[in-house]
């Protein structure tokens, strides 16, 4: 499943993380991006009570509620046990960690660098969490488990499986979003079409994208298929606009074009996947490099990685009509990105995009009219899979918060010393 082109594999070389305090002068190819100087971002570290070896952090928010979550390894009676942990975040501090669930006792998690568990705030102290749990003995027989908390993580409901196909196939890369009144919407990659109705392997297997909701009172809508063929193992993402939720994912055509598509919930039903931009990236295997989306009112930004034309790029595109149409893409990177992009929109028409490049984590501002702020060096990182995907958000004091996995050490959370509004261009 996790197949990548040889050139992409070479770019994902592993080396020891390191900082670079040098100033780089680069020419950024955007739609035609200006020359830009890299500056080092002034940061402070946020203390987190996480065990050594913790990994794959995520930062999620709903209104003013922010939750940091991560996966934590432990050894109990000679068995490796994985615990899904979370903690509330507010203005540069994290609360006491809570535990959602853990493996062990016959329950085996599917632990993966790109498809990791997340805790999502839904409002009014309600949380949703998802993780992946193995089914049978097959390597890729695993499914999604979802649990809810009504009290900020102190207790959790019995796990629920949103997909009801029962096939021994892959299900994962979940995105959850609050719909109000404690209701959660969720999308996931669903591999049921790798099998025929009689249980035999499908002649033309394909990954699909599916959706359903779960209410605070336990009511659940039926599963809906949003796209009947998509890329096998790239992340999904979702955001709420003034017109309703939008979902972004890497699509897949019969010709193996794997560009980013968007789906919208309009008038009670989902639209079909519409390309954000026609990159024309033809690749015969999944690049494991999904998109990120953020919204403020009718304004939407999508950031993504593409290797079209054998040229790696991180791009972003804006929509002013709640994701119905997008403007031309703007190139964000410095010329040699790994990708793993994250986007936030702290105010309408302005976004921040973070990405990995040359063993470092960078971030910069971008506006809907194409103005790029200077690229800012956030921290050393690694191209290794073990470094996972960086997370980013803007907190209530307009500080930018980053979370990352430091290989062979644990998770690290960093916060900008100055509000993003005061970053000097």
């Amino acid at each position: 499943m996790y197949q990548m082109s040889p050139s992409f594999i070479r770019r994902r070389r592993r080396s020891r993380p390191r900082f670079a305090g040098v100033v780089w002068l680069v020419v950024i190819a955007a739609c035609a991006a200006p020359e830009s100087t890299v500056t080092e971002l002034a940061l402070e570290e946020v203390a987190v009570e996480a065990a050594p070896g913790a990994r794959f952090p995520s930062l999620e928010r709903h209104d003013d509620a922010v939750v940091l979550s991560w996966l934590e390894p432990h050894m109990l009676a000679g068995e490796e046990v994985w615990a899904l942990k979370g903690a509330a975040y507010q203005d540069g501090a994290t609360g006491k960690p809570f535990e959602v669930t853990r493996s062990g006792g016959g329950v085996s998690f599917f632990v993966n660098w790109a498809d990791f568990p997340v805790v999502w705030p839904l409002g009014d102290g309600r949380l949703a969490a998802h993780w992946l749990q193995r089914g049978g003995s097959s390597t890729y027989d695993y499914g999604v488990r979802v649990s809810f908390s009504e009290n900020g993580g102190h207790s959790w409901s019995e796990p629920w499986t949103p997909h009801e196909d029962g096939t021994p196939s892959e299900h994962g890369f979940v995105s959850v979003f609050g719909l109000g009144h404690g209701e959660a919407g969720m999308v996931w990659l669903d591999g049921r079409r790798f099998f025929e109705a009689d249980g035999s392997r499908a002649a033309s297997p394909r990954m699909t994208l599916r959706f359903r909701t779960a209410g605070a009172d336990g009511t659940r809508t039926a599963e809906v298929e949003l796209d009947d063929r998509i890329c096998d193992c790239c992340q999904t993402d979702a955001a709420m606009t003034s017109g309703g939720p939008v979902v972004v994912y890497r699509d897949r055509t019969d010709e193996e074009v794997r560009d980013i598509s968007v789906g919208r919930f309009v008038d009670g039903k989902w639209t079909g996947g519409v390309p954000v931009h026609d990159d024309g990236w033809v690749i015969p295997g999944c690049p494991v490099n999904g998109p990120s989306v953020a919204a403020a009112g009718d304004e939407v930004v999508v950031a993504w990685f593409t290797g079209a034309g054998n040229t790696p790029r991180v791009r972003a595109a804006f929509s002013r009509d709640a994701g119905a149409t997008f403007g031309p893409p703007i190139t964000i990177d410095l010329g040699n990105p790994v990708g793993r992009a994250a986007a936030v929109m702290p105010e309408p028409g302005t976004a921040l995009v973070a990405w990995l490049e040359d063993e470092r984590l960078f971030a910069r501002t971008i506006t809907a009219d194409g103005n790029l702020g200077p690229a800012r060096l956030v921290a050393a990182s690694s191209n290794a899979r073990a470094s996972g995907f960086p997370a980013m958000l803007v907190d209530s004091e307009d500080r930018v918060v980053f979370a990352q996995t430091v290989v062979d050490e644990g998770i690290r959370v960093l916060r900008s010393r100055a509000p993003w509004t005061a970053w000097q261009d």
Side-chain angles (χ1 to χ4, degrees), residues 332-356:
I332 304 296
D333 63 85
L334 303 174
N336 189 37
V338 173
R340 308 188 202 179
V344 295
M345 185 177 281
E347 65 180 27
T350 300
L352 289 86
V353 177
W355 75 98
L356 293 185

Side-chain angles (χ1 to χ4, degrees), residues 248-279:
V248 291
Y249 57 97
R250 192 174 295 282
D251 219 331
R252 180 183 181 186
T253 71
D254 291 341
E255 294 75 30
E256 297 292 10
V257 176
R258 303 197 189 211
D259 290 341
I260 305 303
S261 285
V262 59
R264 299 183 302 133
F265 193 68
V266 180
D267 296 329
K269 63 181 180 180
W270 286 94
T271 64
V274 177
V276 173
H277 179 259
D278 183 15
D279 290 325

Side-chain angles (χ1 to χ4, degrees), residues 134-153:
R134 290 189 178 277
S137 59
S138 174
T139 302
Y140 296 118
D141 176 6
Y142 60 87
V144 179
R145 301 294 184 269
V146 178
S147 183
F148 295 94
S149 173
E150 302 288 344
N151 51 23

Side-chain angles (χ1 to χ4, degrees), residues 2-85:
Y2 295 105
Q3 302 175 30
M4 292 178 282
S5 66
S7 62
F8 191 82
I9 293 171
R10 285 194 297 272
R11 286 197 302 275
R12 299 173 80 97
R13 66 191 184 281
R14 178 173 179 173
S15 64
R16 294 184 62 83
R18 62 190 188 280
F19 275 98
V22 299
V23 175
W24 288 20
L25 191 65
V26 297
V27 176
I28 302 175
C31 283
E35 193 173 84
S36 176
T37 299
V38 174
T39 60
E40 191 168 330
L41 190 61
L43 299 157
E44 58 191 16
E45 187 156 358
V46 177
V48 182
E49 294 181 38
R55 62 200 68 182
F56 312 144
S58 182
L59 285 163
E60 302 296 338
R61 76 179 306 156
H62 181 87
D63 296 331
D64 292 331
V66 177
V67 174
L68 168 72
S69 57
W70 64 92
L71 200 57
E72 201 170 271
H74 297 275
M75 291 298 295
L76 294 178
E79 179 185 13
E80 184 177 59
V81 171
W82 293 94
L84 172 54
K85 297 286 191 75

Side-chain angles (χ1 to χ4, degrees), residues 335-373:
N336 189 37
V338 173
R340 308 188 202 179
V344 295
M345 185 177 281
E347 65 180 27
T350 300
L352 289 86
V353 177
W355 75 98
L356 293 185
E357 182 163 356
D358 291 319
E359 309 281 356
R360 298 169 180 87
L361 175 61
F362 292 94
R364 73 191 318 168
T365 59
I366 178 176
T367 64
D369 56 9
N371 289 327
L372 278 171

Side-chain angles (χ1 to χ4, degrees), residues 1-3 110 112 115 132-136 138-145 163 165-174 188-195 201 205-210 230-234 252 286 288:
M1 174 177 173
Y2 295 105
Q3 302 175 30
F110 182 80
N112 183 270
D115 191 2
L132 301 181
Q133 193 165 305
R134 290 189 178 277
S138 174
T139 302
Y140 296 118
D141 176 6
Y142 60 87
V144 179
R145 301 294 184 269
H163 44 87
D165 54 290
T167 63
S169 61
E170 303 163 77
H171 306 79
F173 294 101
V174 182
W188 68 91
L189 269 61
D190 193 296
R192 69 185 64 188
R193 295 189 183 274
F194 278 69
F195 293 87
R201 296 285 298 185
R206 60 189 188 275
M207 187 64 71
T208 66
L209 182 68
R210 300 184 77 86
I230 67 172
C231 197
D232 292 45
C233 46
C234 279
R252 180 183 181 186
C286 180
V288 198

